[in-house]
Amino acid sequence: MLNTVCSRRNALAGLFATSSALATDPLSTFSNNDPALPSFHYCLNVSTLRGQELGIVKELEITSEAGYDAIEVWMNGLQKYVDEGGSLSDLRKRIDDLGISVANAIGFAQWIVDDDTIRQQATEQLKREMDMLAQLGCSRIAAPPMGATKEPGLDLMKAAERYRAILELGESQGVIPQLEVWGFSANLHRLGQTMFVAVESQHPKARILPDIYHLYKGGSEFNGLKLLSGSAIEIFHINDYPAQPGREQLDDSYRVYPGDGVAPVTEVLQDLHKTGPGKILSLELFNKDYWQQDAMTVAKTGLSRMKSAVAKAIPG
């Protein structure tokens, strides 16, 4: 019994306290007690420019020129670059020359499902993806509940065991899976469910990846963020949503720049700020209207809206 209590204490210490820095990622070096760090780092998730079909090299260049600190890549885009003969070492040099970091990657391995064969395939997929990301100096990969979106009733204790398994894999490769809230999932659609799986993984590097749109879509109250502290969140997907359509009809395409919708962005940023400096705000949009616009204009507008939202939430 004592071992169980101690292991849970260790997990909670990792989830609610400050994180250990991973040397490959300059944006992982934040600490709750370092007043020299900025309130937030600014990151561009390439979904925001998906419709322009730029390719990863151009996405990196726009991210840098627009003024972001980091980029969130999608694994399918990175894999396409490699399949077409691109070199990861060349890409790493390009990233370094541009003065940005790869803060995270969006992948879709089905690590959480009940099917043993599919989970084993997901493990092999994650090994390959983590190896690629490590070569780029990226220390994180999203771990959404892929494959567990349609049928409710997933055993969350089993999900916690499975999350621990990929955390151990990630720790060995230097790329830590960030447990993502998905508002349309039949299972991890609420913040509380996601926190349960993270805590019960009993792993000190467990992290969650929330998203304003997904929290609203899944029915979570934003006040739940007040219960989090320290390193529970390293990256937060920032966006906004309109008053209409309602929650049930809302989908990804309705996401708008922060401040252009009705989400309580100010309160969310204030709550995140209280957990300590250095969190990464990543602009994740899927707005088809933005996809028809000039990519640089969209990137710069998004960064401007994020900075305005932060200035409003945290004056001075």
Side-chain angles (χ1 to χ4, degrees):
M1 181 63 152
L2 181 58
N3 288 339
T4 300
V5 171
C6 289
S7 63
R8 292 192 180 190
R9 283 177 180 168
N10 289 338
L12 285 167
L15 193 59
F16 291 98
T18 57
S19 66
S20 298
L22 293 172
T24 56
D25 183 0
L27 293 192
S28 72
T29 59
F30 62 81
S31 164
N32 261 9
N33 302 313
D34 187 352
L37 285 170
S39 297
F40 296 105
H41 298 290
Y42 298 98
C43 179
L44 178 65
N45 186 306
V46 299
S47 68
T48 304
L49 307 178
R50 177 192 285 184
Q52 285 87 342
E53 299 182 354
L54 303 170
I56 191 168
V57 173
K58 188 63 176 177
E59 289 165 348
L60 290 167
E61 292 171 352
I62 286 177
T63 299
S64 175
E65 187 177 342
Y68 289 85
D69 303 305
I71 190 171
E72 246 187 320
V73 301
W74 279 50
M75 285 309 308
N76 55 5
L78 181 57
Q79 187 64 58
K80 184 174 186 290
Y81 167 82
V82 172
D83 290 344
E84 292 177 350
S87 162
L88 290 176
S89 61
D90 289 347
L91 196 63
R92 173 64 184 269
K93 184 178 186 304
R94 186 66 177 143
I95 291 165
D96 292 342
D97 289 345
L98 289 168
I100 58 175
S101 297
V102 182
N104 188 37
I106 306 300
F108 300 100
Q110 297 187 49
W111 60 273
I112 199 171
V113 299
D114 290 329
D115 188 293
D116 292 341
T117 300
I118 294 176
R119 274 205 325 279
Q120 181 58 41
Q121 292 170 347
T123 298
E124 295 305 314
Q125 177 182 339
L126 281 170
K127 285 180 182 178
R128 295 190 300 272
E129 292 177 347
M130 289 174 174
D131 177 67
M132 294 168 68
L133 293 171
Q135 293 181 59
L136 298 182
C138 176
S139 62
R140 305 177 189 86
I141 186 170
M146 186 69 181
T149 58
K150 295 181 180 179
E151 297 296 329
L154 179 71
D155 186 327
L156 294 186
M157 283 301 295
K158 289 184 178 179
E161 293 172 6
R162 294 163 189 169
Y163 181 43
R164 182 182 180 88
I166 65 170
L167 281 167
E168 290 173 348
L169 172 64
E171 192 170 27
S172 71
Q173 296 194 241
V175 181
I176 302 303
Q178 314 286 302
L179 188 62
E180 189 170 9
V181 183
W182 263 9
F184 60 85
S185 170
N187 296 288
L188 299 192
H189 59 279
R190 286 186 177 270
L191 180 62
Q193 295 166 324
T194 310
M195 282 301 303
F196 179 90
V197 171
V199 171
E200 291 299 333
S201 73
Q202 301 184 32
H203 194 288
K205 286 195 163 106
R207 302 288 185 268
I208 65 168
L209 175 54
D211 176 307
I212 288 179
Y213 161 80
H214 278 299
L215 289 173
Y216 174 72
K217 178 68 177 176
S220 292
E221 292 292 333
F222 291 98
N223 282 331
L225 294 171
K226 299 181 190 303
L227 299 176
L228 302 176
S229 62
S231 62
I233 300 171
E234 294 184 356
I235 298 183
F236 190 92
H237 284 164
I238 186 168
N239 40 60
D240 208 333
Y241 51 82
Q244 296 295 329
R247 193 195 309 258
E248 292 299 320
Q249 290 75 39
L250 200 70
D251 62 34
D252 283 311
S253 68
Y254 288 98
R255 299 188 194 203
V256 293
Y257 296 122
D260 285 4
V262 297
V265 175
T266 298
E267 291 79 2
V268 167
L269 291 174
Q270 289 171 342
D271 289 338
L272 280 177
H273 179 64
K274 290 174 184 176
T275 69
K279 298 290 188 289
I280 302 168
L281 295 179
S282 185
L283 183 70
E284 188 182 52
L285 306 173
F286 297 82
N287 191 299
K288 294 178 182 178
D289 289 337
Y290 301 163
W291 289 351
Q292 302 302 314
Q293 299 172 23
D294 174 71
M296 183 61 73
T297 299
V298 172
K300 287 184 175 181
T301 302
L303 181 58
S304 175
R305 292 287 202 281
M306 282 200 288
K307 289 184 173 181
S308 293
V310 169
K312 181 179 179 182
I314 310 163

